[in-house]
Each structure stands twice: as structure tokens, then as C-alpha cells.
Amino acid sequence: MAMWDRLKDQAKGLQQQAQGARGPAGQRQPATGGPGASGGSGGSKEKLVGLLKSQLGSLKTELKSGAYRDASMAMCALVAAADGSVDPAERHHVENLILQNDVLQNFPPEQLRQRFNKHVDQLTFNFQQGKADAMQEIAKAAKKPVEAKAVVQTGFVIAGADGYIAPAEAQVLREACMALGVSPQEFGL
């Protein structure tokens, strides 16, 4: 647990640093692609995503459970479909990000593909029902706090891979935090 606290402190410090660079009167721009976030805070978002990615990497040996795998694939599908649809190019892009992720390499690629695509198919067919099913899968990781936070980090890394976290992506990340019993503020959401 001490390692998680250290990582959390690093993320907090990075968030504070990013807030300090955000214009007059300390006006906070969300690190989630909100108004003005594509301006001067782009580098900060990239740093935060990079930090979360390295934090995940440091936990690789702990993140080998089926609950983490399944919740992460549901999270990735939700991020991909956050705007209500997933085009084939986006599906392929996210699938590649999943297969290249160091931590997710703990699992056979076909298992990851199958679970991710199952959720994407459900979200595409009936978004509300697919979202409910994905959130149920995500919530199963809540039993282990390290895994719960890692699921959110995985979603954050996937959402921020393009250097921008869209408002719809930030919303599903917030909802996943709630389902997992994790404070969205820990991730600047």
C-alpha cells in the first residue's frame, strides 16, 4: 500500500504543478478536455497520462487477476464508445493500444480481444444496456483497491492516448470511479 500512496502523491504533485500553470486567478481548467484544456495544459495532460502509465507498469506483477482483466476490457470499451458509437478505425486503434499495453500483456491477446470486442458490440447494439453491463463488470474489481485504481488508470491511459480526453470520456471515467469506490478527484476528474 505504501507504493500506491507514493504514486498517488506523485500524481497529486503533477496535478498541482499543472494547476499552477493555468492562467490568472488560479482558474482551474479540467485535465479532461474541458473548456480551454486543449491550450496550455496539453503538456500537463500528457504528463499525467504518462505518469499513470508508468504507475501501472510498476504494478504489473500485482495485476494478473481475471477481475482486473475483465474490468479493464470493459473500461476500454466504454472509453472507446463514450460518444455513443465506435467506428471500425477507432475499434482497431483501441485494440492495438490494449495489445501494446505492458500491464495487459500479462494476459493472452485473444482473451483481451474477445472481452473488449464483446463489450464494444454490446455498446454498439444498445448503448445504455451495454454501458450497464460494462459498469457491472468494472464494479467487480472494487474488491481490491489496487486493482480498482488500476482499472481507472487503464481507462485514463486509453482515453489520453491521442493527447486529448474528451468530455464524454471523462464522464465514463468518473462513472467508473464511482462504481469502483475510487475518488474521481484522485485523477483530476
Side-chain angles (χ1 to χ4, degrees), residues 22-178:
R22 286 193 181 122
Q27 293 177 351
R28 182 169 187 249
Q29 298 291 336
T32 58
S38 60
S41 65
S44 298
K45 284 186 293 182
E46 289 175 18
K47 286 181 186 176
L48 181 59
V49 169
L51 178 62
L52 292 173
K53 194 173 186 177
S54 69
Q55 287 175 356
L56 272 173
S58 70
L59 297 171
K60 183 175 180 172
T61 58
E62 296 179 49
L63 299 173
K64 294 184 176 182
S65 77
Y68 168 72
R69 176 201 58 212
D70 296 349
S72 291
M73 291 306 93
M75 182 81 258
C76 291
L78 266 178
V79 166
D83 63 0
S85 67
V86 182
D87 64 44
E90 183 178 19
R91 181 188 288 233
H92 181 71
H93 176 70
V94 173
E95 192 175 289
N96 283 337
L97 291 171
I98 290 167
L99 297 177
Q100 293 170 8
N101 183 289
D102 285 342
V103 175
L104 294 173
Q105 288 178 2
N106 282 335
F107 307 102
E110 198 48 46
Q111 285 182 6
L112 299 174
R113 264 193 208 98
Q114 178 188 18
R115 285 162 174 78
F116 170 71
N117 284 310
K118 177 191 90 167
H119 284 291
V120 171
D121 289 344
Q122 289 174 332
L123 287 158
T124 302
F125 179 72
N126 180 335
F127 184 78
Q128 291 306 319
Q129 183 61 49
K131 184 177 178 182
D133 292 346
M135 283 297 178
Q136 277 186 323
E137 195 71 52
I138 288 168
K140 291 177 184 177
K143 295 173 188 166
K144 295 182 180 176
V146 170
E147 288 184 5
K149 291 175 183 180
V151 168
V152 177
Q153 288 174 308
T154 300
F156 222 103
V157 167
I158 297 298
D162 59 0
Y164 174 77
I165 297 175
E169 293 169 335
Q171 181 59 35
V172 297
L173 288 166
R174 271 192 291 285
E175 291 174 27
C177 284
M178 298 312 210

